[in-house]
Amino acid sequence: MSTTPITIDALQPGDRAAWGVLAHGYKAFYKTDIPESDYDAAFARLLAGREVQAWVARRDGQVVGIVHYLFHASAWMADACYLQDLFVSEQLRGQGIAAALIERVAQSARQRGASRLYWLTQDDNARARALYDRVAQYKGFIRYDFPL
């Protein structure tokens, strides 16, 4: 295990391959199969940083974690921050990387003046929920998806 510290940086054009490995891992974990063209489009949107944004965690210059997030208005507040995707390389989990990525998104939300930072996960994602229970509050909501 490396003792080199983790850095949290902006996503860069040269990160496509490493980001892709982690993005594929994320989608596989949630059993979501999408075409490669969707990964290309997502990466382009994340690089543009307009609708959705991203941070990456690096160790020894290598991308080892990703987080994607977006800001949106609601009827009750001008700005909320939704953390959409969070994924850390399997062999580096449990080392504070996910918490550091969450905190970096929280910093972005504070800088923007957002009223809320929130995210979703599957109820059986015990490892992630252990972290989330330490850094955030579970409010008991259940998600429904309406087919379009």
Side-chain angles (χ1 to χ4, degrees):
M1 178 183 350
S2 174
T3 58
T4 305
I6 295 296
T7 59
I8 308 297
D9 300 312
L11 185 69
Q12 299 296 318
D15 294 334
R16 174 59 179 92
W19 172 89
V21 169
L22 295 171
H24 276 84
Y26 176 84
K27 288 298 200 181
F29 178 83
Y30 284 107
K31 299 174 178 63
T32 305
D33 189 31
I34 62 173
E36 195 62 32
S37 60
D38 287 358
Y39 289 97
D40 293 336
F43 189 76
R45 277 193 298 277
L46 291 165
L47 272 182
R50 286 185 295 274
E51 299 88 12
V52 291
Q53 299 172 30
W55 295 106
V56 296
R58 296 181 200 278
R59 174 172 277 161
D60 297 324
Q62 302 299 311
V63 174
V64 297
I66 58 174
V67 66
H68 309 148
Y69 63 102
L70 57 99
F71 292 98
H72 66 88
S74 80
W76 307 109
M77 63 190 69
D79 218 1
C81 183
Y82 175 57
L83 190 157
Q84 186 173 29
D85 309 320
L86 174 65
F87 196 78
V88 172
S89 180
E90 179 82 33
Q91 62 271 25
L92 295 175
R93 293 184 185 159
Q95 298 182 33
I97 298 168
L101 286 164
I102 291 169
E103 179 54 37
R104 185 60 188 93
V105 173
Q107 288 173 3
S108 296
R110 286 184 204 105
Q111 288 169 349
R112 183 165 163 140
S115 300
R116 177 188 324 167
L117 168 59
Y118 70 102
W119 58 89
L120 305 170
T121 195
Q122 287 183 323
D123 62 351
D124 64 352
N125 190 353
R127 187 168 192 172
R129 290 190 70 187
L131 167 64
Y132 301 159
D133 287 343
R134 283 195 313 273
V135 303
Q137 296 175 333
Y138 171 63
K139 300 276 187 162
F141 282 87
I142 299 170
R143 172 183 150 172
Y144 291 89
D145 290 332
F146 188 87
L148 300 176

